[in-house]
Amino acid sequence: MNLVKGTTFTFLIGLGIAGNIIVLVNYIYLFRGIEKKPIHLILIHLAFTNILMLFTKGTPRTIASSGLQNLLGDVGCKVVVYLESVACGLSISTTSLLTVVQAITISPRASRWRRLQPRSAWNILPLLVFFWILNALISMNLPFYIKNSNNMNTSEFSKSDNYCYFQPDNWIIRWIFIALMVLRDAVLQGVMGWASGYMVFLLHKHHQHVLYLQTSKLLYRTPPEMKAAQSVLLLMLCFLFFYCTDCFISLRSFLSLLKNSISVSAQEFLTLGYAILSPFVLIHRDGHLAECCHAQ
């Protein structure tokens, strides 16, 4: 069973990494153009974050599921789990930034929000650096409490598929950092929700305008910015589905105090689902996003 599970996770991780590499190379090529677009840099960062998350989240789970031992020591576990936490924070941060930038891009020219539109990719770079610093600080406590299962007594942990274990000595510090993570996620999801609602409103107005032109028998071509907004909304819905479902299953497992193999496997897939699926959403909608980048 462990071999089948390990093989499945390895295949999914490889599939996700391949998809993200395609997206990464594609937008790096576009970013090399004369006029560098902010959305290019955001999508490059998102693809890189997904690759980092797949490596760091997938490696310990694949090792544990495959029954391999002594492959990671304490130092390896500390590094992998720390980067995993940072990558998770960067994923929601980058997706939120992508949603906001796209909402500002399609806002009316007379709108006050349009004044916030970044003029170049270099205006986005300080925000990405800030996200790295923020998430690195929020996760800075993890390396002190992570241990490899081979360096622990069997009485110290319950039997499971985990390979690296979190053993906090100070529960107060643990809850402080958990509160910071929850606050970060709540703020970013709130911003993402506002930007998504604003985009839905603008897309609805655009749809009504298209219907009016069609009844007037006038030819009209949908702007690439509107098509790109639909792609970003689809990406955001994909993120929210995996994030909310993962939170629900985690809360249910925590309250029931029982962990069956099906719920654990489902939760492990959900933590990787967005990083695996999002590049293929971008690849499927790539024509719209690339067209928008060239047209701006």
Side-chain angles (χ1 to χ4, degrees), residues 226-266:
M226 292 298 177
K227 294 179 181 179
Q230 295 172 357
S231 302
V232 172
L233 279 175
L234 183 61
L235 198 65
M236 185 273 301
L237 289 174
C238 174
F239 173 83
L240 287 180
F241 169 76
F242 286 108
Y243 182 88
C244 294
T245 309
D246 182 28
C247 288
F248 173 77
I249 294 179
S250 299
L251 181 61
R252 183 175 177 273
S253 299
F254 176 77
L255 294 176
S256 65
L257 300 179
L258 295 174
K259 293 185 177 180
N260 57 69
S261 59
I262 297 178
S263 63
V264 171
S265 299

mmCIF file of all heavy atoms in Angstrom, residues 226-266:
data_model
loop_
_atom_site.group_PDB
_atom_site.id
_atom_site.type_symbol
_atom_site.label_atom_id
_atom_site.label_comp_id
_atom_site.label_asym_id
_atom_site.label_seq_id
_atom_site.Cartn_x
_atom_site.Cartn_y
_atom_site.Cartn_z
ATOM 1 N N MET A 226 -10.147 41.389 -20.354
ATOM 2 C CA MET A 226 -11.317 40.732 -19.788
ATOM 3 C C MET A 226 -11.148 39.210 -19.811
ATOM 4 O O MET A 226 -11.541 38.511 -18.869
ATOM 5 C CB MET A 226 -12.574 41.147 -20.557
ATOM 6 C CG MET A 226 -12.950 42.603 -20.377
ATOM 7 S SD MET A 226 -13.328 42.966 -18.643
ATOM 8 C CE MET A 226 -13.640 44.742 -18.723
ATOM 9 N N LYS A 227 -10.569 38.698 -20.891
ATOM 10 C CA LYS A 227 -10.327 37.257 -20.959
ATOM 11 C C LYS A 227 -9.296 36.833 -19.911
ATOM 12 O O LYS A 227 -9.423 35.776 -19.288
ATOM 13 C CB LYS A 227 -9.833 36.883 -22.360
ATOM 14 C CG LYS A 227 -10.871 37.104 -23.459
ATOM 15 C CD LYS A 227 -10.311 36.732 -24.813
ATOM 16 C CE LYS A 227 -11.336 36.963 -25.912
ATOM 17 N NZ LYS A 227 -10.790 36.622 -27.251
ATOM 18 N N ALA A 228 -8.287 37.672 -19.712
ATOM 19 C CA ALA A 228 -7.282 37.376 -18.694
ATOM 20 C C ALA A 228 -7.892 37.416 -17.298
ATOM 21 O O ALA A 228 -7.526 36.623 -16.431
ATOM 22 C CB ALA A 228 -6.130 38.376 -18.787
ATOM 23 N N ALA A 229 -8.833 38.338 -17.074
ATOM 24 C CA ALA A 229 -9.512 38.419 -15.775
ATOM 25 C C ALA A 229 -10.281 37.135 -15.488
ATOM 26 O O ALA A 229 -10.305 36.646 -14.351
ATOM 27 C CB ALA A 229 -10.450 39.623 -15.745
ATOM 28 N N GLN A 230 -10.917 36.569 -16.512
ATOM 29 C CA GLN A 230 -11.622 35.299 -16.343
ATOM 30 C C GLN A 230 -10.636 34.189 -15.977
ATOM 31 O O GLN A 230 -10.943 33.320 -15.149
ATOM 32 C CB GLN A 230 -12.370 34.953 -17.624
ATOM 33 C CG GLN A 230 -13.490 35.932 -17.970
ATOM 34 C CD GLN A 230 -14.093 35.686 -19.339
ATOM 35 O OE1 GLN A 230 -13.638 34.818 -20.071
ATOM 36 N NE2 GLN A 230 -15.100 36.458 -19.695
ATOM 37 N N SER A 231 -9.451 34.208 -16.564
ATOM 38 C CA SER A 231 -8.432 33.207 -16.252
ATOM 39 C C SER A 231 -7.964 33.331 -14.808
ATOM 40 O O SER A 231 -7.792 32.330 -14.107
ATOM 41 C CB SER A 231 -7.238 33.353 -17.200
ATOM 42 O OG SER A 231 -7.639 33.214 -18.542
ATOM 43 N N VAL A 232 -7.751 34.561 -14.363
ATOM 44 C CA VAL A 232 -7.306 34.789 -12.992
ATOM 45 C C VAL A 232 -8.387 34.377 -12.000
ATOM 46 O O VAL A 232 -8.096 33.792 -10.952
ATOM 47 C CB VAL A 232 -6.908 36.268 -12.793
ATOM 48 C CG1 VAL A 232 -6.620 36.559 -11.324
ATOM 49 C CG2 VAL A 232 -5.690 36.603 -13.639
ATOM 50 N N LEU A 233 -9.642 34.655 -12.315
ATOM 51 C CA LEU A 233 -10.743 34.228 -11.454
ATOM 52 C C LEU A 233 -10.794 32.700 -11.356
ATOM 53 O O LEU A 233 -11.029 32.147 -10.273
ATOM 54 C CB LEU A 233 -12.076 34.762 -11.988
ATOM 55 C CG LEU A 233 -12.422 36.209 -11.651
ATOM 56 C CD1 LEU A 233 -13.722 36.614 -12.352
ATOM 57 C CD2 LEU A 233 -12.554 36.405 -10.145
ATOM 58 N N LEU A 234 -10.588 32.031 -12.469
ATOM 59 C CA LEU A 234 -10.575 30.568 -12.463
ATOM 60 C C LEU A 234 -9.434 30.048 -11.598
ATOM 61 O O LEU A 234 -9.599 29.086 -10.827
ATOM 62 C CB LEU A 234 -10.442 30.046 -13.891
ATOM 63 C CG LEU A 234 -10.483 28.524 -14.084
ATOM 64 C CD1 LEU A 234 -11.806 27.959 -13.594
ATOM 65 C CD2 LEU A 234 -10.272 28.168 -15.545
ATOM 66 N N LEU A 235 -8.282 30.693 -11.685
ATOM 67 C CA LEU A 235 -7.137 30.307 -10.875
ATOM 68 C C LEU A 235 -7.410 30.537 -9.397
ATOM 69 O O LEU A 235 -7.074 29.713 -8.545
ATOM 70 C CB LEU A 235 -5.906 31.115 -11.315
ATOM 71 C CG LEU A 235 -4.533 30.590 -10.904
ATOM 72 C CD1 LEU A 235 -4.252 29.258 -11.574
ATOM 73 C CD2 LEU A 235 -3.459 31.603 -11.260
ATOM 74 N N MET A 236 -8.055 31.654 -9.070
ATOM 75 C CA MET A 236 -8.385 31.969 -7.693
ATOM 76 C C MET A 236 -9.392 30.969 -7.121
ATOM 77 O O MET A 236 -9.273 30.522 -5.973
ATOM 78 C CB MET A 236 -8.946 33.387 -7.622
ATOM 79 C CG MET A 236 -9.223 33.904 -6.217
ATOM 80 S SD MET A 236 -10.879 33.484 -5.591
ATOM 81 C CE MET A 236 -11.899 34.255 -6.833
ATOM 82 N N LEU A 237 -10.400 30.588 -7.916
ATOM 83 C CA LEU A 237 -11.385 29.601 -7.471
ATOM 84 C C LEU A 237 -10.719 28.246 -7.224
ATOM 85 O O LEU A 237 -11.074 27.529 -6.284
ATOM 86 C CB LEU A 237 -12.499 29.465 -8.503
ATOM 87 C CG LEU A 237 -13.459 30.654 -8.622
ATOM 88 C CD1 LEU A 237 -14.425 30.445 -9.783
ATOM 89 C CD2 LEU A 237 -14.225 30.865 -7.327
ATOM 90 N N CYS A 238 -9.760 27.914 -8.070
ATOM 91 C CA CYS A 238 -8.997 26.681 -7.896
ATOM 92 C C CYS A 238 -8.252 26.701 -6.564
ATOM 93 O O CYS A 238 -8.267 25.722 -5.807
ATOM 94 C CB CYS A 238 -8.022 26.504 -9.063
ATOM 95 S SG CYS A 238 -6.882 25.114 -8.912
ATOM 96 N N PHE A 239 -7.634 27.829 -6.261
ATOM 97 C CA PHE A 239 -6.908 27.957 -4.989
ATOM 98 C C PHE A 239 -7.855 27.842 -3.802
ATOM 99 O O PHE A 239 -7.575 27.112 -2.838
ATOM 100 C CB PHE A 239 -6.175 29.298 -4.942
ATOM 101 C CG PHE A 239 -5.550 29.589 -3.612
ATOM 102 C CD1 PHE A 239 -4.310 29.063 -3.295
ATOM 103 C CD2 PHE A 239 -6.214 30.366 -2.675
ATOM 104 C CE1 PHE A 239 -3.740 29.315 -2.051
ATOM 105 C CE2 PHE A 239 -5.654 30.617 -1.432
ATOM 106 C CZ PHE A 239 -4.401 30.097 -1.129
ATOM 107 N N LEU A 240 -8.968 28.556 -3.848
ATOM 108 C CA LEU A 240 -9.907 28.545 -2.732
ATOM 109 C C LEU A 240 -10.502 27.157 -2.502
ATOM 110 O O LEU A 240 -10.738 26.757 -1.356
ATOM 111 C CB LEU A 240 -11.033 29.559 -2.968
ATOM 112 C CG LEU A 240 -10.650 31.030 -2.828
ATOM 113 C CD1 LEU A 240 -11.857 31.919 -3.082
ATOM 114 C CD2 LEU A 240 -10.062 31.317 -1.443
ATOM 115 N N PHE A 241 -10.756 26.422 -3.586
ATOM 116 C CA PHE A 241 -11.311 25.076 -3.436
ATOM 117 C C PHE A 241 -10.359 24.187 -2.641
ATOM 118 O O PHE A 241 -10.749 23.542 -1.661
ATOM 119 C CB PHE A 241 -11.577 24.455 -4.807
ATOM 120 C CG PHE A 241 -11.898 22.984 -4.750
ATOM 121 C CD1 PHE A 241 -13.140 22.548 -4.332
ATOM 122 C CD2 PHE A 241 -10.930 22.048 -5.103
ATOM 123 C CE1 PHE A 241 -13.423 21.190 -4.265
ATOM 124 C CE2 PHE A 241 -11.202 20.685 -5.042
ATOM 125 C CZ PHE A 241 -12.461 20.255 -4.618
ATOM 126 N N PHE A 242 -9.088 24.140 -3.055
ATOM 127 C CA PHE A 242 -8.122 23.283 -2.367
ATOM 128 C C PHE A 242 -7.842 23.784 -0.950
ATOM 129 O O PHE A 242 -7.725 22.985 -0.013
ATOM 130 C CB PHE A 242 -6.819 23.202 -3.164
ATOM 131 C CG PHE A 242 -6.923 22.354 -4.400
ATOM 132 C CD1 PHE A 242 -6.925 22.921 -5.656
ATOM 133 C CD2 PHE A 242 -7.019 20.974 -4.292
ATOM 134 C CE1 PHE A 242 -7.014 22.135 -6.797
ATOM 135 C CE2 PHE A 242 -7.112 20.174 -5.422
ATOM 136 C CZ PHE A 242 -7.111 20.761 -6.677
ATOM 137 N N TYR A 243 -7.769 25.099 -0.784
ATOM 138 C CA TYR A 243 -7.449 25.657 0.535
ATOM 139 C C TYR A 243 -8.583 25.398 1.529
ATOM 140 O O TYR A 243 -8.349 24.914 2.640
ATOM 141 C CB TYR A 243 -7.184 27.159 0.413
ATOM 142 C CG TYR A 243 -6.803 27.819 1.719
ATOM 143 C CD1 TYR A 243 -5.471 27.875 2.118
ATOM 144 C CD2 TYR A 243 -7.769 28.387 2.549
ATOM 145 C CE1 TYR A 243 -5.111 28.472 3.315
ATOM 146 C CE2 TYR A 243 -7.416 28.983 3.751
ATOM 147 C CZ TYR A 243 -6.093 29.024 4.123
ATOM 148 O OH TYR A 243 -5.742 29.611 5.309
ATOM 149 N N CYS A 244 -9.810 25.702 1.137
ATOM 150 C CA CYS A 244 -10.951 25.547 2.044
ATOM 151 C C CYS A 244 -11.226 24.078 2.339
ATOM 152 O O CYS A 244 -11.551 23.719 3.478
ATOM 153 C CB CYS A 244 -12.193 26.213 1.452
ATOM 154 S SG CYS A 244 -12.049 28.000 1.311
ATOM 155 N N THR A 245 -11.105 23.210 1.332
ATOM 156 C CA THR A 245 -11.327 21.782 1.560
ATOM 157 C C THR A 245 -10.269 21.209 2.484
ATOM 158 O O THR A 245 -10.576 20.403 3.374
ATOM 159 C CB THR A 245 -11.316 21.014 0.227
ATOM 160 O OG1 THR A 245 -12.212 21.634 -0.701
ATOM 161 C CG2 THR A 245 -11.752 19.578 0.429
ATOM 162 N N ASP A 246 -9.034 21.643 2.310
ATOM 163 C CA ASP A 246 -7.954 21.194 3.187
ATOM 164 C C ASP A 246 -8.207 21.646 4.622
ATOM 165 O O ASP A 246 -8.022 20.869 5.576
ATOM 166 C CB ASP A 246 -6.628 21.740 2.672
ATOM 167 C CG ASP A 246 -5.446 21.277 3.510
ATOM 168 O OD1 ASP A 246 -5.541 20.183 4.096
ATOM 169 O OD2 ASP A 246 -4.433 21.990 3.576
ATOM 170 N N CYS A 247 -8.635 22.895 4.795
ATOM 171 C CA CYS A 247 -8.935 23.414 6.139
ATOM 172 C C CYS A 247 -10.081 22.641 6.785
ATOM 173 O O CYS A 247 -10.048 22.334 7.979
ATOM 174 C CB CYS A 247 -9.281 24.902 6.070
ATOM 175 S SG CYS A 247 -7.858 25.966 5.721
ATOM 176 N N PHE A 248 -11.103 22.313 6.000
ATOM 177 C CA PHE A 248 -12.255 21.579 6.525
ATOM 178 C C PHE A 248 -11.843 20.187 6.998
ATOM 179 O O PHE A 248 -12.215 19.755 8.102
ATOM 180 C CB PHE A 248 -13.341 21.474 5.448
ATOM 181 C CG PHE A 248 -14.499 20.594 5.851
ATOM 182 C CD1 PHE A 248 -15.474 21.060 6.731
ATOM 183 C CD2 PHE A 248 -14.617 19.304 5.339
ATOM 184 C CE1 PHE A 248 -16.533 20.246 7.106
ATOM 185 C CE2 PHE A 248 -15.669 18.490 5.708
ATOM 186 C CZ PHE A 248 -16.633 18.962 6.596
ATOM 187 N N ILE A 249 -11.070 19.479 6.180
ATOM 188 C CA ILE A 249 -10.649 18.130 6.561
ATOM 189 C C ILE A 249 -9.701 18.175 7.758
ATOM 190 O O ILE A 249 -9.780 17.332 8.664
ATOM 191 C CB ILE A 249 -9.977 17.423 5.359
ATOM 192 C CG1 ILE A 249 -11.008 17.185 4.245
ATOM 193 C CG2 ILE A 249 -9.362 16.096 5.786
ATOM 194 C CD1 ILE A 249 -10.439 16.529 3.014
ATOM 195 N N SER A 250 -8.818 19.173 7.798
ATOM 196 C CA SER A 250 -7.900 19.309 8.934
ATOM 197 C C SER A 250 -8.672 19.575 10.217
ATOM 198 O O SER A 250 -8.372 18.987 11.271
ATOM 199 C CB SER A 250 -6.913 20.446 8.670
ATOM 200 O OG SER A 250 -6.144 20.198 7.521
ATOM 201 N N LEU A 251 -9.662 20.465 10.160
ATOM 202 C CA LEU A 251 -10.471 20.780 11.340
ATOM 203 C C LEU A 251 -11.276 19.573 11.786
ATOM 204 O O LEU A 251 -11.385 19.287 12.993
ATOM 205 C CB LEU A 251 -11.404 21.953 11.029
ATOM 206 C CG LEU A 251 -12.301 22.433 12.176
ATOM 207 C CD1 LEU A 251 -11.439 22.923 13.340
ATOM 208 C CD2 LEU A 251 -13.242 23.533 11.700
ATOM 209 N N ARG A 252 -11.817 18.848 10.835
ATOM 210 C CA ARG A 252 -12.599 17.644 11.168
ATOM 211 C C ARG A 252 -11.723 16.584 11.831
ATOM 212 O O ARG A 252 -12.125 15.959 12.820
ATOM 213 C CB ARG A 252 -13.235 17.085 9.894
ATOM 214 C CG ARG A 252 -14.129 15.880 10.114
ATOM 215 C CD ARG A 252 -14.811 15.477 8.811
ATOM 216 N NE ARG A 252 -15.612 14.281 8.981
ATOM 217 C CZ ARG A 252 -15.154 13.039 8.869
ATOM 218 N NH1 ARG A 252 -13.870 12.848 8.587
ATOM 219 N NH2 ARG A 252 -15.951 12.002 9.035
ATOM 220 N N SER A 253 -10.521 16.397 11.313
ATOM 221 C CA SER A 253 -9.599 15.423 11.902
ATOM 222 C C SER A 253 -9.163 15.854 13.299
ATOM 223 O O SER A 253 -9.028 15.035 14.208
ATOM 224 C CB SER A 253 -8.366 15.245 11.011
ATOM 225 O OG SER A 253 -8.726 14.771 9.735
ATOM 226 N N PHE A 254 -8.957 17.167 13.476
ATOM 227 C CA PHE A 254 -8.535 17.687 14.776
ATOM 228 C C PHE A 254 -9.621 17.512 15.826
ATOM 229 O O PHE A 254 -9.352 17.134 16.971
ATOM 230 C CB PHE A 254 -8.161 19.161 14.647
ATOM 231 C CG PHE A 254 -7.791 19.816 15.952
ATOM 232 C CD1 PHE A 254 -6.543 19.593 16.525
ATOM 233 C CD2 PHE A 254 -8.699 20.643 16.607
ATOM 234 C CE1 PHE A 254 -6.211 20.188 17.731
ATOM 235 C CE2 PHE A 254 -8.362 21.241 17.814
ATOM 236 C CZ PHE A 254 -7.104 21.018 18.376
ATOM 237 N N LEU A 255 -10.876 17.771 15.452
ATOM 238 C CA LEU A 255 -11.981 17.671 16.399
ATOM 239 C C LEU A 255 -12.334 16.217 16.716
ATOM 240 O O LEU A 255 -12.702 15.891 17.844
ATOM 241 C CB LEU A 255 -13.211 18.397 15.850
ATOM 242 C CG LEU A 255 -13.077 19.913 15.702
ATOM 243 C CD1 LEU A 255 -14.330 20.509 15.068
ATOM 244 C CD2 LEU A 255 -12.804 20.573 17.052
ATOM 245 N N SER A 256 -12.218 15.351 15.717
ATOM 246 C CA SER A 256 -12.568 13.944 15.932
ATOM 247 C C SER A 256 -11.443 13.165 16.608
ATOM 248 O O SER A 256 -11.673 12.103 17.187
ATOM 249 C CB SER A 256 -12.918 13.278 14.605
ATOM 250 O OG SER A 256 -11.784 13.236 13.755
ATOM 251 N N LEU A 257 -10.218 13.693 16.540
ATOM 252 C CA LEU A 257 -9.033 13.055 17.123
ATOM 253 C C LEU A 257 -8.753 11.682 16.519
ATOM 254 O O LEU A 257 -8.028 10.871 17.082
ATOM 255 C CB LEU A 257 -9.182 12.926 18.649
ATOM 256 C CG LEU A 257 -9.350 14.243 19.410
ATOM 257 C CD1 LEU A 257 -9.518 13.967 20.900
ATOM 258 C CD2 LEU A 257 -8.152 15.162 19.181
ATOM 259 N N LEU A 258 -9.369 11.407 15.366
ATOM 260 C CA LEU A 258 -9.166 10.141 14.679
ATOM 261 C C LEU A 258 -8.652 10.419 13.272
ATOM 262 O O LEU A 258 -9.168 11.294 12.582
ATOM 263 C CB LEU A 258 -10.470 9.332 14.603
ATOM 264 C CG LEU A 258 -11.044 8.854 15.946
ATOM 265 C CD1 LEU A 258 -12.403 8.194 15.722
ATOM 266 C CD2 LEU A 258 -10.085 7.876 16.630
ATOM 267 N N LYS A 259 -7.650 9.679 12.870
ATOM 268 C CA LYS A 259 -7.071 9.864 11.544
ATOM 269 C C LYS A 259 -7.115 8.539 10.792
ATOM 270 O O LYS A 259 -6.364 7.621 11.100
ATOM 271 C CB LYS A 259 -5.621 10.356 11.646
ATOM 272 C CG LYS A 259 -5.480 11.759 12.222
ATOM 273 C CD LYS A 259 -4.037 12.207 12.183
ATOM 274 C CE LYS A 259 -3.879 13.634 12.695
ATOM 275 N NZ LYS A 259 -2.470 14.073 12.665
ATOM 276 N N ASN A 260 -8.007 8.450 9.810
ATOM 277 C CA ASN A 260 -8.007 7.255 8.976
ATOM 278 C C ASN A 260 -7.167 7.526 7.736
ATOM 279 O O ASN A 260 -6.897 8.666 7.374
ATOM 280 C CB ASN A 260 -9.436 6.850 8.591
ATOM 281 C CG ASN A 260 -10.173 7.975 7.879
ATOM 282 O OD1 ASN A 260 -9.843 8.318 6.746
ATOM 283 N ND2 ASN A 260 -11.176 8.560 8.538
ATOM 284 N N SER A 261 -6.751 6.450 7.099
ATOM 285 C CA SER A 261 -5.812 6.571 5.982
ATOM 286 C C SER A 261 -6.401 7.349 4.805
ATOM 287 O O SER A 261 -5.686 8.054 4.097
ATOM 288 C CB SER A 261 -5.386 5.181 5.526
ATOM 289 O OG SER A 261 -6.518 4.417 5.125
ATOM 290 N N ILE A 262 -7.716 7.247 4.612
ATOM 291 C CA ILE A 262 -8.345 7.931 3.480
ATOM 292 C C ILE A 262 -8.300 9.444 3.679
ATOM 293 O O ILE A 262 -7.931 10.199 2.770
ATOM 294 C CB ILE A 262 -9.802 7.454 3.297
ATOM 295 C CG1 ILE A 262 -9.829 5.962 2.950
ATOM 296 C CG2 ILE A 262 -10.496 8.269 2.213
ATOM 297 C CD1 ILE A 262 -11.216 5.386 2.802
ATOM 298 N N SER A 263 -8.671 9.910 4.870
ATOM 299 C CA SER A 263 -8.676 11.355 5.124
ATOM 300 C C SER A 263 -7.263 11.925 5.102
ATOM 301 O O SER A 263 -7.037 13.037 4.621
ATOM 302 C CB SER A 263 -9.341 11.651 6.471
ATOM 303 O OG SER A 263 -8.604 11.072 7.532
ATOM 304 N N VAL A 264 -6.292 11.161 5.619
ATOM 305 C CA VAL A 264 -4.902 11.623 5.603
ATOM 306 C C VAL A 264 -4.390 11.731 4.169
ATOM 307 O O VAL A 264 -3.751 12.729 3.791
ATOM 308 C CB VAL A 264 -4.010 10.668 6.420
ATOM 309 C CG1 VAL A 264 -2.538 11.017 6.220
ATOM 310 C CG2 VAL A 264 -4.356 10.744 7.897
ATOM 311 N N SER A 265 -4.690 10.721 3.344
ATOM 312 C CA SER A 265 -4.261 10.745 1.940
ATOM 313 C C SER A 265 -4.937 11.883 1.182
ATOM 314 O O SER A 265 -4.307 12.563 0.364
ATOM 315 C CB SER A 265 -4.573 9.411 1.271
ATOM 316 O OG SER A 265 -3.887 8.357 1.894
ATOM 317 N N ALA A 266 -6.237 12.088 1.466
ATOM 318 C CA ALA A 266 -6.961 13.182 0.810
ATOM 319 C C ALA A 266 -6.375 14.532 1.195
ATOM 320 O O ALA A 266 -6.208 15.420 0.345
ATOM 321 C CB ALA A 266 -8.443 13.121 1.181
#
